[in-house]
């Protein structure tokens, strides 16, 4: 594999010539957790994986409509049978041909027990190879968002996975590794050349890629840098070309720098707090024998004690749109009514706590990432101070992304921060993952607080199979409203994402906060 990669890179260098070779150097706060494309559903990783591994369809960066990639066309044979015609002549980076056997294997792998991508395979019953370049996807019920889901299910070589004992995805809850965790063999425009976790990631252009890229980049170098000041300094000094997550306080001077530019856009990601509503007693709390977070009045008190407008203005410096909804405005099911927050009201919060039997408050574990979302640690520090005013002592601990997400997936946090983007632009994706009772097929796969309400489950199940689109949207809105009334989670804000870069860099800003590797230009 290494010899093959070296030969391809050398060949490409000869064809473009030294003058045409462009390196794109970029940075953000955290590294990707794995190269196993069906292991951890992490937005940063999904975006980087897309440079190397391709899906059957992918969103057009300008229209955000699914467009052909490894599938050239498709037709709905019956309401529960989607036939996909696969692109011929596509080679994996090891030189082997992409066929229907790889597509069937990849979709089945995404549905495996250790996969965190079951939510994208929601509703799929089975996948069948019709011939060498045609597959049928059979769903349990009609699925109006199946194409949107397929944008995040990337294709892996069956033979490569079998040869390297990687037929099962890496389980993110354990330390166990498979070959696919540190190695990659996709069909995409770039190939994995080097990965030193938390230090450096290098991608090399794939000279044998089937597509026609608009990019002139021949090498991508990604350096995760946790410290925001260091990231800004690297951009100002020219060490990097692009910063995915500049700090809010640095933006004014970056905008005023004639050698740089900043692109702004609202992300389809909502930041919120989840709460353990499952345990009968919270670990580390001074309340014994019961769990305060099971009481809706307590959850609402925590919600109403948060002055989100001040956090948006002071901590986020405008890079957050306060919201009461679990999804952003671009997502089907969102309404202005669902978006309305419960008012910030300390006295009301204190009364709710007293009514619930916690007049003097309580102690609770509070966990947040410190390198995943805009000002994540600072937001949590501000909220902990606000909660102290109503007698709730939140014992804040912050962790880096790579250890934080496995930790909350093991249910080791009482209150936790999570940000949820919606790759399908449909609220079912959020509802099924976050408020559906934990079950099979992606149900509740990030319902880390283990909230459960039969009424919610019924609404989610109806939207999975409802084909009347107007009725389906209404059901999604009802479910979002029920989440608000139950305070299943505490919504905070929708992120506003600024990208900072050198003036000679051209990129297309996407609402999912990921780069389109086919379109980057360094002029």
């Amino acid at each position: 594999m290494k010899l093959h990669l070296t030969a391809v890179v050398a060949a490409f260098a000869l064809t473009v010539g030294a003058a045409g070779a462009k390196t794109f150097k970029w940075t953000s706060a955290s590294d990707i957790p794995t190269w196993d494309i069906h292991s951890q559903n992490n937005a940063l990783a999904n975006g980087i994986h897309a440079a190397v591994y391709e899906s059957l369809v992918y969103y057009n960066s300008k229209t955000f409509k699914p467009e052909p990639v490894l599938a050239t066309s498709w037709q709905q044979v019956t309401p529960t049978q989607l036939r996909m015609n696969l692109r011929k002549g596509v080679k994996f980076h090891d030189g082997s041909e992409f066929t229907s056997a790889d597509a069937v294997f990849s979709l089945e792998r995404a549905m495996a027990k250790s996969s965190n991508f079951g939510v994208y395979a929601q509703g799929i019953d089975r996948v069948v190879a019709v011939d060498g370049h045609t597959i049928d996807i059979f769903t349990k019920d009609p699925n109006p968002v199946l194409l949107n889901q397929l944008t995040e299910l990337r294709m892996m070589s069956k033979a490569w996975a079998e040869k390297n004992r990687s037929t099962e995805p890496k389980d993110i809850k354990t330390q166990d590794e498979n070959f696919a965790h540190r190695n990659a063999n996709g069909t995409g425009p770039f190939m994995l050349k080097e990965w030193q976790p938390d230090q450096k990631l290098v991608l090399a252009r794939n000279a044998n890629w089937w597509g026609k890229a608009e990019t002139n980049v021949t090498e991508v170098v990604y350096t995760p840098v946790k410290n925001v000041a260091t990231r800004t300094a690297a951009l100002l000094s020219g060490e990097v070309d692009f910063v995915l997550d500049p700090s809010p306080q640095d933006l004014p001077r970056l905008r005023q720098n004639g050698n740089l530019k900043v692109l702004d856009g609202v992300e389809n990601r909502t930041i919120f707090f989840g709460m353990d509503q499952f345990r009968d007693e919270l670990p580390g709390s001074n309340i014994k024998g019961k769990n305060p977070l099971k009481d809706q009045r307590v959850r609402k008190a925590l919600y109403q004690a948060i002055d989100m407008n001040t956090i948006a203005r002071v901590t986020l410096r405008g890079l957050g749109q306060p919201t009461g909804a679990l999804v952003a405005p671009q997502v089907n099911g969102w309404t202005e009514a669902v978006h309305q927050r419960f008012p910030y009201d300390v006295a009301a919060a204190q009364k709710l706590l007293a009514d619930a039997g916690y007049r003097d408050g309580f102690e609770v574990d509070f966990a947040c990432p410190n390198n995943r979302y805009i000002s994540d640690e600072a937001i949590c520090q501000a909220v902990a101070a606000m909660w102290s005013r109503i007698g709730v002592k939140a014992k804040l601990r912050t962790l880096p992304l790579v250890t934080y997400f496995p930790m909350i997936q093991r249910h080791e946090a009482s209150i936790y921060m999570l940000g949820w983007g919606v790759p399908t632009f449909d609220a079912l994706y959020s509802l099924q993952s976050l408020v559906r009772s934990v079950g099979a097929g992606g149900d509740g796969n990030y319902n880390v607080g283990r909230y459960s309400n039969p009424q919610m489950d019924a609404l989610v199940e109806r939207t999975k199979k409802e084909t009347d689109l107007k009725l389906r949207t209404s059901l999604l809105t009802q479910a979002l409203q029920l989440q608000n009334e139950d305070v299943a989670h505490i919504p905070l804000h929708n992120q506003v994402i600024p990208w900072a870069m050198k003036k000679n860099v051209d990129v297309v800003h996407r609402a999912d906060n990921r780069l389109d590797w086919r379109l980057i230009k360094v002029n």
Side-chain angles (χ1 to χ4, degrees):
M1 176 71 182
K2 194 170 183 181
L3 286 172
H4 174 78
L5 178 61
T6 304
V8 170
V9 173
F12 187 72
L14 287 172
T15 59
V16 298
K22 298 284 187 181
T23 296
F24 177 67
K25 296 172 289 184
W26 69 294
T27 182
S28 74
S30 53
D31 199 6
I32 67 171
T34 182
W35 266 100
D36 190 321
I37 54 171
H38 302 127
S39 173
Q40 186 163 336
N41 183 17
N42 171 276
L44 178 70
N46 294 350
I48 292 176
H49 289 167
V52 174
Y53 285 100
E54 294 175 300
S55 46
L56 298 174
V57 294
Y58 199 56
Y59 287 123
N60 179 292
S61 289
K62 293 166 184 174
T63 66
F64 259 88
K65 303 292 184 188
E67 65 181 4
V69 182
L70 293 182
T72 55
S73 61
W74 47 87
Q75 53 273 352
Q76 200 75 48
V77 180
T78 73
T80 57
Q81 180 185 359
L82 180 70
R83 176 158 293 178
M84 305 202 82
N85 302 303
L86 306 183
R87 192 175 297 278
K88 295 177 181 176
V90 173
K91 304 285 187 183
F92 284 100
H93 297 158
D94 65 0
S96 62
E97 185 183 3
F98 167 69
T99 69
S100 56
D102 303 302
V104 171
F105 165 76
S106 299
L107 294 177
E108 289 177 344
R109 192 176 189 270
M111 297 162 69
K113 189 175 180 182
S114 58
S115 169
N116 208 214
F117 282 72
V119 66
Y120 297 110
Q122 183 278 124
I124 295 178
D125 183 40
R126 67 191 192 280
V127 188
V128 178
V130 178
D131 58 36
H133 286 89
T134 311
I135 63 169
D136 280 346
I137 301 175
F138 292 91
T139 55
K140 299 180 181 75
D141 299 287
N143 183 346
V145 291
L146 180 59
L147 271 184
N148 304 59
Q149 292 171 201
L150 291 174
T151 62
E152 287 294 74
L153 296 178
R154 280 164 273 280
M155 298 291 108
M156 180 182 284
S157 163
K158 181 175 188 278
W160 180 83
E162 290 173 343
K163 176 185 174 183
N164 294 296
R165 299 180 183 178
S166 295
T167 54
E168 293 288 318
K170 169 182 161 50
D171 188 341
I172 67 166
K173 300 184 186 73
T174 73
Q175 296 297 316
D176 298 340
E177 290 187 12
N178 58 12
F179 188 77
H181 171 62
R182 294 179 184 268
N183 300 274
N185 179 36
T187 61
F190 289 89
M191 302 183 291
L192 176 61
K193 183 178 178 183
E194 176 188 355
W195 184 41
Q196 299 174 40
D198 295 318
Q199 296 179 53
K200 189 180 184 182
L201 168 62
V202 182
L203 305 178
R205 183 79 170 268
N206 174 16
N208 295 319
W209 185 50
W210 59 267
K212 184 180 179 182
E214 294 179 34
T215 182
N216 62 355
V217 171
T218 53
E219 181 184 60
V220 175
V221 179
Y222 175 66
T223 308
V225 177
K226 181 182 172 183
N227 185 277
V228 292
T230 306
R231 292 201 299 278
T232 300
L235 181 62
L236 290 168
S237 69
E239 289 178 61
V240 299
D241 303 305
F242 179 96
V243 179
L244 186 72
D245 49 1
S247 69
Q249 56 266 39
D250 288 331
L251 285 174
R253 64 176 174 140
L254 294 179
R255 293 185 199 278
Q256 291 164 10
N257 188 309
N259 297 317
L260 305 175
K261 61 183 176 183
V262 177
L263 292 183
D264 296 286
V266 178
E267 189 184 15
N268 66 342
R269 177 178 307 280
T270 302
I271 310 296
F272 55 87
F273 292 137
M275 296 156 284
D276 183 340
Q277 296 161 64
F278 179 79
R279 284 185 174 87
D280 293 326
E281 181 178 303
L282 296 176
S285 176
N286 62 331
I287 303 296
K288 303 303 175 186
K290 51 182 180 173
N291 174 357
L293 299 176
K294 284 190 173 188
D295 193 315
Q296 186 263 5
R297 294 169 295 184
V298 171
R299 301 194 298 272
K300 190 174 179 182
L302 294 172
Y303 186 141
Q304 292 201 257
I306 298 172
D307 184 352
M308 195 57 228
N309 287 335
T310 295
I311 290 174
R313 187 180 73 252
V314 177
T315 308
L316 287 167
R317 299 186 183 225
L319 297 182
Q321 173 195 60
T323 185
L326 201 58
V327 297
Q330 309 99 312
V331 177
N332 182 40
W334 180 95
T335 65
E336 194 67 52
V338 168
H339 175 67
Q340 296 305 309
R341 288 183 62 80
F342 287 123
Y344 166 59
D345 191 330
V346 173
Q350 289 171 326
K351 184 178 187 306
L352 283 164
L353 277 186
D355 291 347
Y358 303 100
R359 183 177 299 278
D360 298 323
F362 56 91
E363 295 177 4
V364 65
D365 166 65
F366 182 27
C368 289
N370 56 24
N371 65 347
R372 178 62 192 102
Y373 312 115
I374 296 173
S375 302
D376 43 16
E377 185 172 14
I379 292 169
C380 292
Q381 289 169 342
V383 169
M386 291 171 182
W387 282 342
S388 69
R389 294 176 199 154
I390 62 170
V392 173
K393 183 182 178 184
K395 296 181 280 188
L396 178 62
R397 55 194 174 100
T398 63
L399 299 86
L401 172 155
V402 71
T403 53
Y404 177 78
F405 285 102
M407 180 275 295
I408 65 171
Q409 286 274 73
R410 293 192 299 267
H411 309 292
E412 293 174 7
S414 297
I415 302 178
Y416 55 91
M417 173 184 270
L418 192 57
W420 202 250
V422 189
T424 62
F425 290 84
D426 184 86
L428 173 62
Y429 174 79
S430 299
L431 294 165
Q432 184 189 4
S433 296
L434 302 173
V435 292
R436 171 68 168 80
S437 297
V438 178
D443 286 343
N445 68 331
Y446 260 94
N447 182 356
V448 183
R450 291 176 281 185
Y451 159 85
S452 185
N453 180 334
Q455 186 183 353
M456 179 68 78
D457 293 347
L459 281 169
V460 172
E461 290 307 305
R462 282 188 67 189
T463 60
K464 284 182 182 179
K465 58 189 78 168
E466 181 55 61
T467 54
D468 180 329
L469 297 185
K470 187 175 180 182
L471 173 58
R472 185 177 178 278
T473 299
S474 173
L475 293 170
L476 292 173
T477 303
Q478 288 178 48
L480 290 169
Q481 190 61 51
L482 179 59
Q483 122 75 34
N484 292 359
E485 293 164 4
D486 279 358
V487 196
H489 299 80
I490 301 175
L492 299 173
H493 62 281
N494 301 316
Q495 283 197 151
V496 176
I497 296 291
W499 289 354
M501 67 206 78
K502 290 180 182 175
K503 214 162 192 176
N504 68 330
V505 171
D506 285 338
V507 296
V508 177
H509 197 295
R510 288 172 54 114
D512 55 8
N513 195 31
R514 66 176 62 172
L515 290 157
D516 188 332
W517 307 98
R518 304 164 297 182
L519 302 177
I520 300 170
K521 287 183 182 174
V522 179
N523 300 311

